[in-house]
Amino acid sequence: MKGAIAVINAGSSSIKFAVFDEQATALRRMFAGSIRDLGGASPRFIVKNGAGDVLESRQWEEGSKLGYEDAIALLLETLPRHLNGQRLGAVGHRVVHGGEHYTAPVRVDAGVLSTLETLIPLAPLHQPHNLALIRTLLSVEPDLPQVACFDTAFHHTQSPLERAFALPKHITERGVRRYGFHGLSYEYIASVMTQRDPALTGRVVVLHLGNGASMCAIEDGKSVSNTMGFTALDGLPMGTRCGALDPGVVLYLMSELQMDLGQVEVLLYHQSGLLGVSGISSDMRTLEDSDSPNAKMAIDLFVHAIKHQLGALAATLGGLDGIVFTAGIGENSSLVRERVCRDAAWLGVELDDSANAAGEAGRISTAASAVSAWIIPTDEEVVIAEHTRRIIDGN
Ligand code: AMP
């Protein structure tokens, strides 16, 4: 691979990026950063080196609006300053939905982009932003190779049974089935967990608990089942998403409460989950610090849903050898980990309270625990960089 690899994760109001170069054969994170409050009132930009020192930062005046084109121009102007004379060789993107078509990363051209745009209704919160950035970059730098890496792809090993809905064939044939998400995170965890403990080659449930949250049953490093389904709305309650819901609720909202499609979408994606239940915040830290009974109810509901799903995933796997906590809440909330592990005692999880309270990456279950429990920080960016390198090198 000639040149550095930039990894971009574009959201609705922020772009996160990380830049890697090749050291011997390994990839090294040179620097990373973000553009926040894109399209909002006070955009901010920051670049930090691998040790976390700020290399560059900028804050725009109140009222300045920054769009995707400005963001791309800013990145193309900024990145070379920190590349130590290397050129940018390729860009890898996190793209939420690859649909039935893409079960592996792909180099993006106009045709691929058009296919990916047809999947926007399946991931309206993320896909439009992922693709808008790729399209903008393709128009200003048509010769810069871009690779799309999908959150759905890791789950393509799931059985047809696992992916099916009990709906008539003329509906399921249109691609209405479970896809699963957070696959780049699960792929990273699966790639490193056996280095922690050989037993993690067996039956493991990984809990990706962040602002978006899901759980994945993994066996022999392959996805068997994921709590997210057709869209990233299913499964656990999240920061602002409702998680699993009786579909009859949607019918009720529309028929009895006269809500239209747009209102239902806003309710389920942006006003539900931890925010909706607590009425305070989508942020777990704020809820843990709050005395409000509604904040307590939001945390209780989150932990309760995890208990349900853990039982279901352990049943799907036919037993359990380990559980792994990752992402913002999984890596940082000793309270949530403690409650989840306590609920999982019947499965054979015995928490080491002091290891859990310390919160360091590594084992947090006792030596005697039949099912081991771990904190493993996720790294979706390095997965995307590796895929991008492989595709550009033609391997
Ligand atoms: P992510 O989407 O992976 O960045 O995770 C964001 C979530 O992690 C938010 O709900 C944060 O409140 C939560 N989080 C981050 N740090 C902590 C912490 N120290 N304690 C509890 N929750 C945390």
Side-chain angles (χ1 to χ4, degrees), residues 16 208-212 274 282-286 288 327-329 332-334:
K16 290 190 251 171
H208 177 108
L209 308 179
N211 194 34
L274 298 178
S282 62
D283 193 300
M284 185 57 84
R285 274 167 299 203
T286 309
E288 285 185 10
I329 299 170
N332 297 299
S333 173
S334 55

Side-chain angles (χ1 to χ4, degrees), residues 223-383:
S223 173
V224 173
S225 182
N226 180 226
T227 58
M228 282 178 167
F230 177 58
T231 66
L233 203 51
D234 202 4
L236 305 178
M238 303 172 222
T240 63
R241 283 173 257 168
C242 59
L245 193 70
D246 175 349
V249 172
V250 176
L251 304 180
Y252 176 86
L253 297 175
M254 299 184 88
S255 66
E256 293 301 314
L257 302 190
Q258 313 290 320
M259 292 175 78
D260 65 24
L261 195 64
Q263 289 170 320
V264 172
E265 186 174 289
V266 169
L267 179 80
L268 303 185
Y269 275 96
H270 300 289
Q271 298 174 340
S272 299
L274 298 178
L275 173 67
V277 177
S278 70
I280 297 172
S281 173
S282 62
D283 193 300
M284 185 57 84
R285 274 167 299 203
T286 309
L287 300 184
E288 285 185 10
D289 290 344
S290 168
D291 295 329
S292 148
N294 295 334
K296 181 179 175 308
M297 176 65 179
I299 299 175
D300 287 350
L301 208 51
F302 184 66
V303 171
H304 186 67
I306 293 172
K307 173 165 71 173
H308 266 206
Q309 298 286 358
L310 188 57
L313 294 175
T316 303
L317 287 168
L320 196 60
D321 297 305
I323 60 173
V324 176
F325 291 93
T326 195
I329 299 170
E331 291 167 29
N332 297 299
S333 173
S334 55
L335 175 84
V336 169
R337 287 193 305 263
E338 194 258 317
R339 293 187 56 184
V340 168
C341 289
R342 203 189 323 135
D343 284 345
W346 69 279
L347 281 164
V349 177
E350 189 178 278
L351 189 67
D352 176 334
D353 291 321
S354 56
N356 181 49
E360 303 288 334
R363 185 166 173 146
I364 55 166
S365 54
T366 63
S369 183
V371 173
S372 62
W374 298 81
I375 300 172
I376 303 181
T378 195
D379 192 345
E380 293 151 300
E381 288 157 353
V382 79
V383 174

Side-chain angles (χ1 to χ4, degrees), residues 10-14 68 120 123-134:
S12 57
S13 64
S14 72
Y68 282 118
I120 285 176
L125 207 60
H126 301 99
Q127 192 91 342
H129 311 293
N130 304 157
L131 300 186
L133 202 99
I134 298 178

